[in-house]
Amino acid sequence: MTTVLTKSFPQEKRPSTRAAQGKKRVLIVGGGFAGIAAARALKRADVDITLIDRRNHHIFQPLLYQVATAVLAPSEIAAPIRQLEAKQKNLSVLLAEVKGIDLAARTIEAICPEIGSRKLAYDFLVIATGMHPSYFGHDEFAQFAPGLKSLNDAETIRTKILSAFELAESTDDERERARQMTFVLVGAGPTGVELAASIAQLVSVTLRNNFRKIDPAKSRIVLLDGGTRVLPSFAESLSRKAATRLTKLGVEVATGVKVEKVDDQGVIAAGVRIPSATVLWTAGVSASPIVKMLGTRTDRAGRAFVGAFMDIPEAPNVFVAGDAATMTQDGHPVPGVAQAAIQQGRFVGQVIAGRARSRKDGRPFRYRNKGNMAVVGKNFAILEAGHLRSSGFVTWWVWAALHVLALPQLQNRFRVQTQWFWSYLSGQRSSRLISEGPRPPAS
């Protein structure tokens, strides 16, 4: 964890416990889509807000796979959370990690780097801590198959992918060369599909003519999933089109296949060994352990069951929003996507603003689905919005425009737009950096 912000909150400064007399104290845990949306919804409320996160930055997760495949640099899809303080006078940011929640005392225990434990009191608590990769009871897979949920994850994956080609170029062992040039992705949801397509274009376009002994275009990219089709959250017709597109890009799609083992040599799926030096986990997710501290009922993924106003039965003024929450609407679960998290966070902020003024709650939360999109390489994306289903080049341009507009800062939008334009014309990627590991001490 970075400690760059530790000097911003010395021990004697306790922003969440020094609320002005009569003001309610709001603690928001998590600086993702839901947490920031909740904070912004409280901008004009007469409350004191403390936004707590163990990272100092907000990530635009829909483009995280492009950092992992060297299209974008980490700074192009991230923004410092602390900049919210300059725009919102009733908000303070605290770099810390929550280690305990006491619902009865209305306090949380937070660990600040290099400072230690602090207890913070609240009148309203919002848990918006997002999700972590889930290995379905096989946590031993994690050391060999990284997930993709943070900038560190993205940089780890980028290093693994680029290092594989360097090692393939260096070795004279044909079997090892083939293993280094085989990439296995476990999970064919949006992240797996987008990541596989981006790797396919990396090897066929960007790395072309970059090596003397190997041809990156001959790499093997395998996308595995235990379900019956890729992108199961989309209509079957769009799923088929995405699978066809992946095949054209050179990705081997294998559905109905369960991964039984992941180790340093690759994977065993359906009893067959696939030698690979780069296995990426894009399958299941589970909620942050912080949700368990609430002592409320959770689903199999560890997400809290919330009521109509996004609160929990054990404490009406404790809310869970975003991927950490689960709720059903019209017989279907609200999806764990960015637009749902933003809507829930905004709703929670509005509910808190009303309760802080002793107003009755208005209408319960209702998710408004504005459509789902997934991009499958250059010039191809799919869109499902109600009865509208589209795919192809025009849909890809719509996807690109919407994602640029949704980035957190103007400078992010400018940089991403410029980088995409250059990459589109040249086929090159500007962030092909291999992170250096620690150097051994000199003898």
Side-chain angles (χ1 to χ4, degrees):
M1 179 186 294
T2 179
T3 59
V4 69
L5 298 180
T6 54
K7 293 183 179 179
S8 299
F9 38 86
Q11 278 186 308
E12 66 271 18
K13 183 181 179 182
R14 298 178 181 270
S16 62
T17 58
R18 291 176 57 187
Q21 188 173 4
K23 284 191 175 183
K24 300 293 186 180
R25 297 160 297 187
V26 181
L27 295 186
I28 300 174
V29 183
F33 287 114
I36 288 180
R40 285 176 172 165
L42 288 162
K43 185 174 183 177
R44 292 179 174 82
D46 190 27
V47 296
D48 278 339
I49 311 162
T50 301
L51 178 59
I52 305 170
D53 201 296
R54 61 190 180 90
R55 304 186 186 101
N56 81 324
H57 54 271
H58 164 70
I59 306 168
F60 189 73
Q61 289 219 352
L63 294 181
L64 199 55
Y65 80 95
Q66 294 204 1
V67 176
T69 52
V71 179
L72 299 173
S75 60
E76 292 170 339
I77 68 161
I81 298 173
R82 186 162 291 281
Q83 69 178 4
L84 292 173
E85 284 199 6
K87 300 178 180 179
Q88 189 165 337
K89 300 304 181 183
N90 64 346
L91 181 139
S92 298
V93 176
L94 186 63
L95 185 70
E97 187 167 5
V98 173
K99 290 297 184 181
I101 300 174
D102 189 335
L103 295 181
R106 292 200 210 182
T107 61
I108 70 167
E109 181 186 4
I111 306 297
C112 300
E114 298 189 12
I115 293 177
S117 176
R118 294 176 53 182
K119 280 198 173 181
L120 309 173
Y122 67 83
D123 296 294
F124 298 96
L125 175 64
V126 181
I127 302 297
T129 46
M131 303 292 279
H132 297 251
S134 171
Y135 293 87
F136 305 114
H138 292 281
D139 292 344
E140 68 275 11
F141 294 175
Q143 63 177 313
F144 307 113
L148 184 57
K149 288 296 179 183
S150 69
L151 290 179
N152 284 342
D153 294 338
E155 291 184 290
T156 297
I157 290 173
R158 184 187 66 197
T159 293
K160 284 179 70 71
I161 292 172
L162 297 177
S163 296
F165 292 107
E166 298 296 337
L167 293 171
E169 175 82 354
S170 302
T171 185
D172 293 323
D173 186 329
E174 288 299 326
R175 287 187 178 181
E176 178 61 16
R177 179 172 291 167
R179 190 179 77 88
Q180 292 291 342
M181 294 176 63
T182 299
F183 304 88
V184 178
L185 295 89
V186 183
T191 300
V193 167
E194 292 174 342
L195 194 55
S198 190
I199 295 173
Q201 293 199 300
L202 172 71
V203 303
S204 63
V205 179
T206 306
L207 298 182
R208 184 176 52 194
N209 301 325
N210 276 210
F211 297 89
R212 293 285 178 263
K213 294 182 179 179
I214 64 172
D215 180 3
K218 294 182 179 179
S219 300
R220 184 185 181 194
I221 304 167
V222 184
L223 180 61
L224 306 175
D225 197 278
T228 57
R229 58 188 177 93
V230 303
L231 299 175
S233 60
F234 286 80
E236 190 170 350
S237 60
L238 294 176
S239 174
R240 287 197 300 268
K241 289 180 179 181
T244 300
R245 183 68 176 183
L246 285 168
T247 301
K248 287 182 179 179
L249 291 172
V251 178
E252 299 177 31
V253 180
T255 55
V257 175
K258 292 186 178 181
V259 171
E260 299 153 10
K261 186 177 181 179
V262 183
D263 56 27
D264 60 347
Q265 294 301 305
V267 304
I268 297 177
V272 177
R273 163 71 73 174
I274 304 176
S276 172
T278 306
V279 181
L280 308 177
W281 195 265
T282 57
V285 291
S286 60
S288 162
I290 293 176
V291 176
K292 294 182 180 179
M293 299 176 190
L294 298 174
T296 193
R297 191 165 65 98
T298 60
D299 64 6
R300 289 189 298 176
R303 296 171 295 195
F305 284 99
V306 295
F309 293 93
M310 306 301 300
D311 50 7
I312 62 173
E314 292 78 6
N317 286 336
V318 175
F319 304 84
V320 185
D323 292 343
T326 183
M327 67 185 312
T328 302
Q329 179 176 298
D330 299 331
H332 301 283
V334 173
V337 294
Q339 59 172 310
I342 293 170
Q343 290 180 30
Q344 289 177 348
R346 188 181 298 127
F347 175 84
V348 166
Q350 292 168 351
V351 171
I352 292 173
R355 292 185 183 182
R357 300 181 66 178
S358 301
R359 290 182 176 178
K360 291 184 178 180
D361 295 332
R363 294 180 180 179
F365 173 77
R366 185 161 186 83
Y367 170 58
R368 292 172 176 80
N369 189 347
K370 299 178 181 178
N372 295 320
M373 303 189 77
V375 63
V376 193
K378 184 179 180 180
N379 292 338
F380 191 91
I382 61 173
L383 164 66
E384 182 174 11
H387 297 294
L388 174 64
R389 296 167 186 173
S390 68
S391 62
F393 177 71
V394 174
T395 307
W396 180 81
W397 273 104
V398 172
W399 172 90
L402 291 176
H403 279 68
V404 167
L405 291 173
L407 284 163
Q409 298 183 112
L410 182 61
Q411 63 181 357
N412 294 113
R413 298 169 197 165
F414 177 76
R415 290 174 180 173
V416 169
Q417 185 175 348
T418 303
Q419 177 58 36
W420 278 355
F421 184 71
W422 181 79
S423 183
Y424 186 88
L425 295 178
S426 68
Q428 295 304 303
R429 306 184 180 191
S430 64
S431 190
R432 287 166 47 189
L433 307 178
I434 296 176
S435 301
E436 293 186 58
R439 301 184 66 180
S443 58

